[in-house]
Amino acid sequence: MSESVLNGVMADRTAAAPGPVSDSADASDRDALEEEDGLTHHELEAVYRSTLADLLAADPLLSDLPPAPTPAEVRSLLALEHGTAMAVLFNRGDKLTRVIVERTATVRDLKRALRGAVELELERQCRRRLISWRYVWRTNWLCFEGRQLTDDNARLADLGLTNRAEVRFVPRIRAKRGQRDKKGGQVQT
């Protein structure tokens, strides 16, 4: 394509495309634009959310997603469906929380995923609550089938965690400083 023809096509496209509303446009211009389109921003957003929820509910792969999924949730669910990830169930006493991690994940990756899932759940419930995760990990172990997951670098597959394995919190019991065991030796913490 010659340069003059290309320039002519580009000029036609820019002339036909409507320009953005400038910052100096007054309220009457914006009202006129909304009346022309027929929907306000909030109405269009509501239509978008309801359409997305209907599409997600109809799709067998994505029906597990919440009405307003994050891109990370979509990616992790697709990885789970493709078999490159596994779902670990976290038992919080009164309910189970599903956390999706890669099959090659470590205990540290599971902790990060658990933190993200809990924070996202609190955000969706509109509960602003600050959780000190440093305190949580300092005072609790993750436990799988009675074994404490003490090594953050250990791979989950090596520890026996598979798809739909259940993990829970177990409180750490720390010995007091200078405490001795029954034989008189120093207690290891």
Side-chain angles (χ1 to χ4, degrees):
M1 197 181 263
S2 71
E3 188 173 323
S4 62
V5 172
L6 184 60
N7 288 337
V9 170
M10 292 303 291
D12 290 341
R13 285 188 180 167
T14 56
V21 177
S22 67
D23 291 336
S24 63
D26 60 357
S28 63
D29 290 341
R30 291 184 185 145
D31 290 340
L33 284 174
E34 285 181 358
E35 289 175 11
E36 187 177 295
D37 292 339
L39 294 175
T40 65
H41 172 73
H42 296 292
E43 292 170 340
L44 186 61
E45 186 178 6
V47 168
Y48 168 76
R49 288 183 190 268
S50 67
T51 305
L52 181 62
D54 293 342
L55 288 173
L56 290 176
D59 190 322
L61 291 178
L62 302 176
S63 62
D64 293 342
L65 287 174
T70 63
E73 287 176 310
V74 174
R75 281 192 302 271
S76 64
L77 190 60
L78 289 174
L80 182 63
E81 293 296 329
H82 289 296
T84 59
M86 63 181 168
V88 177
L89 301 174
F90 179 66
N91 187 347
R92 295 188 350 194
D94 55 343
K95 67 181 206 172
L96 291 175
T97 301
R98 184 173 76 166
V99 179
I100 300 175
V101 292
E102 295 291 321
R103 290 206 176 271
T104 59
T106 62
V107 173
R108 181 175 286 118
D109 297 331
L110 177 62
K111 288 180 177 181
R112 283 188 194 129
L114 179 61
R115 176 183 178 172
V118 169
E119 288 176 351
L120 185 62
E121 182 179 330
L122 289 174
E123 183 180 321
R124 284 196 173 127
Q125 295 173 355
C126 297
R127 292 173 36 194
R128 293 293 295 170
R129 188 169 180 188
L130 182 64
I131 297 175
S132 172
W133 288 99
R134 184 176 178 197
Y135 176 78
V136 169
W137 301 131
R138 192 177 57 212
T139 58
N140 295 288
W141 293 111
L142 286 176
C143 183
F144 170 67
E145 293 182 349
R147 292 184 317 201
Q148 297 172 349
L149 308 180
T150 58
D151 183 13
D152 283 348
N153 297 320
R155 289 182 27 162
L156 298 177
D158 295 342
L159 296 171
L161 272 86
T162 58
N163 196 23
R164 305 202 43 89
E166 191 172 313
V167 177
R168 61 185 175 89
F169 274 136
V170 175
R172 283 190 187 196
I173 299 174
R174 291 184 163 223
K176 293 182 181 177
R177 188 176 220 136
Q179 185 177 4
R180 307 238 177 230
D181 63 3
K182 291 181 180 177
K183 296 181 182 177
Q186 190 71 25
V187 173
Q188 299 292 324
T189 57

